[in-house]
């Protein structure tokens, strides 16, 4: 758990903040790294996004709501497409796949397509979104450790650009579906490289105890390649794939992953005479959820990643002067979708609780919670928030923002300072909710899910509508009551 005990006890008896959370100089200040680029606070204290005040959004669309800065999303996508990939021109080029699991709907799939990125999917449902918008099939990838035969058929009939295979069972399955359809399936091999990244550090081991991929150290990755080659016509080996984790802030873990992938890449060249044309280093680039996070820009990441790839490929290049170098792909999800949105909530209750003798905690309840943002409950993620609908000069107070669900772990923001005069009816905004919030949302307590609103050039549009009670009940099959039948 957290080191609240280590923090400072503040005025009025409101408890101890974690050490990373400084007492704010100005509780109304917006830290630019946390907010979509078109969010500002006007002199009356109201936040606006792309020219639209959040008070108008709350009035017209209700709360809770996910609010996306479309221009910010598109700019981040473009920054990966251009700034990240530019330094790879000196290696063998790079492609960016947006990881749809971070947040996908038809509008977002269109934005990704229009901005010239490729798309990662990991289910038949995500694939269906790509198909719905006519995403060019050769720019789409399919991942997953247990894809069904139906999903593989859906992908191959669509003409998908790559299937990342994850088990020996799946190699057989993909080959069988491909021969049944009379096509060649383009496959990559998901390799477990033994690098696991956790935010500020990574661990490099030989073996990994997890469900994804073929182990490099255990020899399964080699055996998978042999199995794919043995399938002949039905499979085409594109290259190796690894994904080392999420919310990563430095590139040293990627360097070890690249070194290990290049080792296997070289073995395949030597033993099968195949220079695989692709190599995928996955996603996982971190974003700022609070003042403690300082992410690199896509341009900085691209420079560092291109350098490390170039370094790790040197030996292969020297030993195989004729061979084509693998084109690198990356799969950012969070780093594109996350910072481009915030969640707008209305405060329903404010309650002071005595947590120990003389120490109070202020619980601020909002009209959402673990149904629209499960990350805090699921893995203790940190978020921040701000008063969004008015100005306040009140002394900051440490609060915990909680949801409306029947779980005491239903926390949205564990620790944050808000003005001490907050009251029911106030709006608050939680930034950094563009990734893994809507996509992980649920209907716990029969709570209709919030809409996703896209704001651009002073106009707000619904891109995913709010769920209704009818939506919630639509799947229930009404059965005649037994007692009525008997009567
Ligand atoms: C989750 C995932 C991603 C995206 O991760 P982010 O942290 O959102 O960048 C990319 N590739 C694979 C294989 C993943 O599982």
């Amino acid at each position: 758990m957290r080191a609240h005990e280590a923090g400072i006890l503040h005025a009025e008896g409101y408890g101890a903040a974690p050490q990373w959370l400084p007492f704010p100089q100005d509780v109304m200040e917006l830290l630019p790294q946390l907010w979509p680029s078109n969010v500002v606070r006007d002199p009356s204290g109201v936040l606006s996004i792309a020219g639209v005040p959040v008070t108008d959004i709350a009035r017209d669309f209700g709360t809770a709501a996910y609010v996306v800065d479309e221009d910010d999303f598109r700019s981040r996508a473009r920054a990966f497409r251009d700034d990240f990939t530019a330094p790879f021109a000196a290696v063998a080029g790079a492609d960016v796949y947006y990881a749809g699991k971070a947040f996908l709907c038809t509008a977002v799939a269109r934005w990704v397509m229009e901005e010239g990125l490729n798309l990662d999917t990991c289910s038949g449902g995500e694939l269906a979104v790509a198909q719905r918008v006519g995403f060019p099939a050769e720019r789409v990838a399919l991942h997953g450790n247990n894809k069904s035969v139906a999903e593989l058929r859906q992908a191959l009939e669509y003409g998908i650009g790559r299937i990342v295979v994850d088990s020996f069972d799946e190699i057989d399955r993909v080959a069988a579906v491909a021969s049944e359809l009379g096509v060649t399936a383009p496959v990559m091999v998901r390799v477990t490289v033994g690098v696991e990244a956790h935010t500020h550090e990574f661990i490099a081991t030989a073996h990994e105890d997890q469900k994804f991929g073929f182990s490099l150290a255990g020899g399964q990755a080699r055996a998978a390649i042999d199995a794919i080659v043995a399938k002949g016509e039905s499979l085409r080996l594109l290259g190796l794939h690894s994904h080392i984790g999420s919310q990563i802030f430095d590139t040293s873990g990627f360097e070890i992953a690249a070194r290990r992938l290049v080792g296997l890449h070289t073995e395949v060249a030597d033993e099968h005479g195949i220079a695989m044309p692709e190599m995928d280093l996955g996603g996982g680039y971190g974003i700022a959820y609070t003042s403690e996070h300082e992410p690199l820009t896509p341009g900085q990441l691209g420079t560092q990643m291109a350098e490390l790839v170039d370094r790790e490929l040197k030996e292969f290049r020297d030993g195989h002067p004729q061979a084509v170098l693998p084109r690198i792909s990356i799969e950012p999800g969070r780093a594109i979708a996350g910072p481009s949105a915030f969640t707008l909530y209305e405060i329903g209750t404010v309650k002071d609780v005595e947590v120990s003798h003389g120490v109070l905690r202020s619980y601020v309840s909002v009209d959402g919670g673990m149904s629209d943002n499960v990350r805090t409950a699921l893995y203790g993620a940190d978020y921040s928030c701000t008063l969004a609908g008015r100005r306040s000069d009140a002394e900051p107070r440490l609060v915990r923002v909680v949801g409306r669900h029947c779980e005491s772990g239903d926390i949205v923001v564990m620790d944050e300072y808000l003005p001490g005069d907050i009251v029911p009816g106030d709006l608050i905004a939680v930034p950094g909710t563009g990734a893994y919030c809507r996509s992980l949302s649920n209907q716990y307590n029969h709570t209709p899910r919030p809409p996703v609103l896209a704001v651009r050039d002073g106009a707000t549009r619904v891109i995913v509508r709010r769920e209704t009670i009818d939506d919630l009940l639509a799947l229930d099959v009404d059965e005649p009551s037994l007692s009525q039948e008997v009567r």
Side-chain angles (χ1 to χ4, degrees):
M1 287 310 289
R2 284 145 210 272
H4 295 282
E5 299 75 22
I8 318 141
L9 197 70
H10 276 297
E12 309 171 50
Y14 288 101
Q19 266 168 334
W20 61 262
L21 181 63
F23 188 80
Q25 294 301 310
D26 173 8
V27 74
M28 301 300 278
E29 184 194 0
L30 299 178
L31 293 181
Q33 70 270 32
L34 301 184
W35 293 91
S37 47
N38 296 301
V39 169
V40 294
R41 193 190 293 280
D42 73 20
S44 68
V46 176
L47 287 199
S48 72
I49 171 166
V52 181
V54 296
T55 42
D56 289 5
I57 293 175
R59 183 196 62 213
D60 297 343
F61 300 95
T63 53
Y66 302 104
V67 186
V68 186
D69 180 343
E70 177 178 349
D71 174 59
D72 183 273
F73 183 105
R74 287 178 181 267
S75 310
R76 283 175 208 279
R78 272 198 301 277
F80 271 100
R81 186 198 67 196
D82 298 337
D83 306 351
F84 184 98
T85 62
F88 282 88
V91 195
D95 295 307
V96 179
Y97 285 73
Y98 170 65
K101 73 177 199 224
F103 173 54
L104 196 63
C105 63
T106 49
V108 162
R110 260 190 214 102
W111 300 349
V112 170
M113 178 167 69
E114 287 165 6
E115 297 304 337
L117 273 66
N118 298 349
L119 180 66
D120 254 355
T121 63
C122 54
S123 69
E126 289 183 3
L127 205 52
V129 177
Q131 290 175 293
R132 173 68 65 88
V133 303
F135 211 105
E138 65 280 3
R139 283 166 50 197
V140 179
L142 180 65
H143 287 271
N145 66 303
N146 189 16
K147 311 171 194 76
S148 68
V149 170
E151 287 171 319
L152 294 172
R153 189 172 293 123
Q154 179 187 352
L156 289 174
E157 283 175 346
Y158 179 32
I160 199 154
R162 51 171 70 167
I163 294 174
V164 183
V165 294
D166 200 284
S167 67
F168 291 107
D169 292 323
E170 190 178 65
I171 292 172
D172 292 340
R173 240 172 248 155
V174 179
V177 176
S179 12
E180 174 201 313
L181 297 175
V183 299
T184 297
V187 297
M188 299 195 77
V189 178
R190 170 80 180 250
V191 179
T192 320
V193 289
V195 180
E196 232 189 301
H198 297 284
T199 308
H200 290 297
E201 77 260 27
F202 66 90
I203 44 174
T205 55
H207 298 279
E208 270 180 44
D209 187 2
Q210 56 137 310
K211 70 175 184 174
F212 290 111
F214 294 95
S215 158
L216 188 63
Q220 279 84 20
R222 270 294 305 282
I225 296 210
D226 297 344
I228 289 167
V229 172
K231 294 289 182 188
E233 286 277 278
S234 58
L235 303 182
R236 178 159 53 93
L237 180 60
L238 282 184
L240 305 176
H241 177 286
S242 84
H243 173 72
I244 60 173
S246 226
Q247 190 58 354
I248 301 166
F249 287 97
D250 86 81
T251 53
S252 45
F254 289 103
E255 175 136 29
I256 298 183
R259 184 174 312 154
R260 292 179 178 177
L261 287 188
V262 170
L264 181 57
H265 185 92
T266 306
E267 281 181 43
V268 174
D270 292 342
E271 283 158 40
H272 289 292
I274 301 172
M276 294 182 281
E278 306 269 349
M279 181 176 289
D280 193 321
L281 296 174
Y285 306 109
I287 66 166
Y289 286 105
T290 70
S291 58
E292 65 184 326
H293 301 134
E294 280 175 40
L296 298 171
T297 64
Q300 291 166 328
L301 282 171
T303 302
Q304 293 188 17
M305 293 287 286
E307 276 170 14
L308 72 86
V309 165
D310 190 48
R311 211 159 40 236
E312 297 306 326
L313 276 174
K314 182 177 186 308
E315 209 171 305
F316 174 77
R317 209 166 37 222
D318 292 349
H320 307 78
Q322 311 297 340
V324 177
L325 291 181
R327 190 173 170 87
I328 300 298
S329 32
I330 58 151
E331 305 170 336
R334 185 191 315 271
I336 293 175
S340 69
F342 59 82
T343 309
L344 187 64
Y345 297 107
E346 186 181 293
I347 295 175
T349 67
V350 180
K351 183 194 286 182
D352 283 352
V353 173
E354 191 172 39
V355 291
S356 61
H357 188 68
V359 180
L360 299 176
R361 188 189 305 287
S362 193
Y363 277 93
V364 174
S365 297
V366 295
D367 49 358
M370 63 189 292
S371 54
D372 58 74
N373 183 354
V374 77
R375 294 188 64 254
T376 307
L378 194 59
Y379 22 71
D382 286 320
Y383 280 92
S384 101
C385 65
T386 196
L387 180 63
R390 66 178 171 94
R391 161 130 241 118
S392 168
D393 299 316
E395 184 70 3
R397 174 179 302 167
L398 185 69
V399 304
R400 177 161 294 171
V401 179
V402 296
R404 58 193 305 280
H405 298 288
C406 302
E407 289 280 331
S408 51
D410 172 27
I411 294 166
V412 180
V413 183
M414 193 69 136
D415 301 285
E416 178 59 294
Y417 288 98
L418 285 178
D421 64 351
I422 44 165
V423 286
D426 273 334
L427 295 174
I428 64 166
V430 176
T433 58
Y436 304 108
C437 287
R438 170 67 206 192
S439 63
L440 281 169
S441 68
N442 59 79
Q443 300 160 322
Y444 183 46
N445 296 137
H446 271 54
T447 306
R449 285 180 292 187
V452 184
L453 311 172
V455 189
R456 183 183 187 182
D457 296 336
T460 309
R461 11 187 254 293
V462 176
I463 59 171
V464 180
R465 73 159 167 81
R466 185 184 297 283
E467 266 176 354
T468 63
I469 295 293
D470 283 344
D471 290 329
L472 290 179
L473 295 177
L475 304 182
D476 288 20
V477 177
D478 251 332
E479 299 217 297
S481 140
L482 212 55
S483 54
Q484 276 170 15
E485 266 180 11
V486 170
R487 245 185 260 135

